[in-house]
Amino acid sequence: MKFIVETSARHVHLSQEDLEILFGKGYELTKKKDLSQPGQFACEERVAVVGSKGEFKGVSILGPVRKATQVELSLTDARSVGIAAPVKESGDIAGSGACKIVGPAGEIELAEGVIAAKRHIHATPADAEQLGVKNGEIVSVKIDTDGRSLVFGDVVVRVSESYALAMHIDTDESNAAGCGREQYGEIVK
């Protein structure tokens, strides 16, 4: 069974508290477009992510707000601006990288929260059953491309009723496989 493989570029998830520091008291995110995962959206607002060697201006914010602020970069992105970003699952920010985030109304110093997201598959319980996988299982996924096909190992399966079936990889991984606009993968045993 094949599923869509989506490339996730650098982005930021903000807590309400940090959103208000960066954009002003009582500020609410402005939806630009819905993303493939139900309830998730790209925002009009942008911020700068600053490391010890440089910065990225105009980094996308994804909504809705979260309990904790998190920055997701590719390993190439992180190295280029001088941020140590371990490969971790989204939400697992303990001991992760530090950076500064600058918005139009203020800035925050993140002591931790910068990660290179572990590649993963979002699946509903029905999708997981059809794929023959369980929540938390580590699988390999084959992606066929023109001249750059490869098998990604260490792909974590995340199962929830609130997900839509899709695999997420970062820009480094997408480029390594030569992924196009509409890319599909399948689990290989």
Side-chain angles (χ1 to χ4, degrees), residues 115-132:
I115 65 168
K118 186 174 180 72
R119 47 188 170 247
H120 56 278
I121 298 169
H122 290 282
T124 65
D127 294 328
E129 190 174 320
Q130 224 178 342
L131 291 166

Side-chain angles (χ1 to χ4, degrees), residues 20-53:
E20 291 185 18
I21 292 168
L22 295 169
F23 289 90
K25 197 86 182 128
Y27 197 87
E28 291 184 20
L29 292 168
T30 310
K31 185 189 290 188
K32 181 178 181 178
K33 69 174 185 171
D34 287 317
L35 300 175
S36 67
Q37 294 306 304
Q40 304 291 304
F41 54 92
C43 302
E44 294 286 352
E45 295 81 5
R46 305 266 174 159
V47 292
V49 174
V50 184
S52 64
K53 296 187 333 192

Side-chain angles (χ1 to χ4, degrees), residues 126-155:
D127 294 328
E129 190 174 320
Q130 224 178 342
L131 291 166
V133 296
K134 292 180 174 43
N135 187 52
E137 188 173 341
I138 304 297
V139 299
S140 293
V141 175
K142 183 173 189 215
I143 298 177
D144 285 316
T145 58
D146 188 17
R148 285 267 169 137
S149 296
L150 52 78
V151 175
F152 284 111
D154 303 316
V155 181

Side-chain angles (χ1 to χ4, degrees), residues 80-184:
S80 72
V81 295
I83 298 173
V87 176
K88 290 181 162 260
E89 281 192 57
S90 182
D92 178 11
I93 59 171
S96 61
C99 74
K100 180 164 64 173
I101 301 175
V102 181
E107 57 187 53
I108 55 173
E109 287 283 348
L110 272 192
E112 62 184 14
V114 185
I115 65 168
K118 186 174 180 72
R119 47 188 170 247
H120 56 278
I121 298 169
H122 290 282
T124 65
D127 294 328
E129 190 174 320
Q130 224 178 342
L131 291 166
V133 296
K134 292 180 174 43
N135 187 52
E137 188 173 341
I138 304 297
V139 299
S140 293
V141 175
K142 183 173 189 215
I143 298 177
D144 285 316
T145 58
D146 188 17
R148 285 267 169 137
S149 296
L150 52 78
V151 175
F152 284 111
D154 303 316
V155 181
V156 67
V157 177
R158 299 170 61 186
V159 180
S160 170
E161 285 289 354
S162 66
Y163 291 155
L165 182 60
M167 178 175 169
H168 288 159
I169 59 178
D170 70 22
T171 52
D172 286 350
E173 295 162 324
S174 180
N175 288 333
C179 292
R181 203 101 179 101
E182 193 170 297
Q183 197 62 59
Y184 292 86

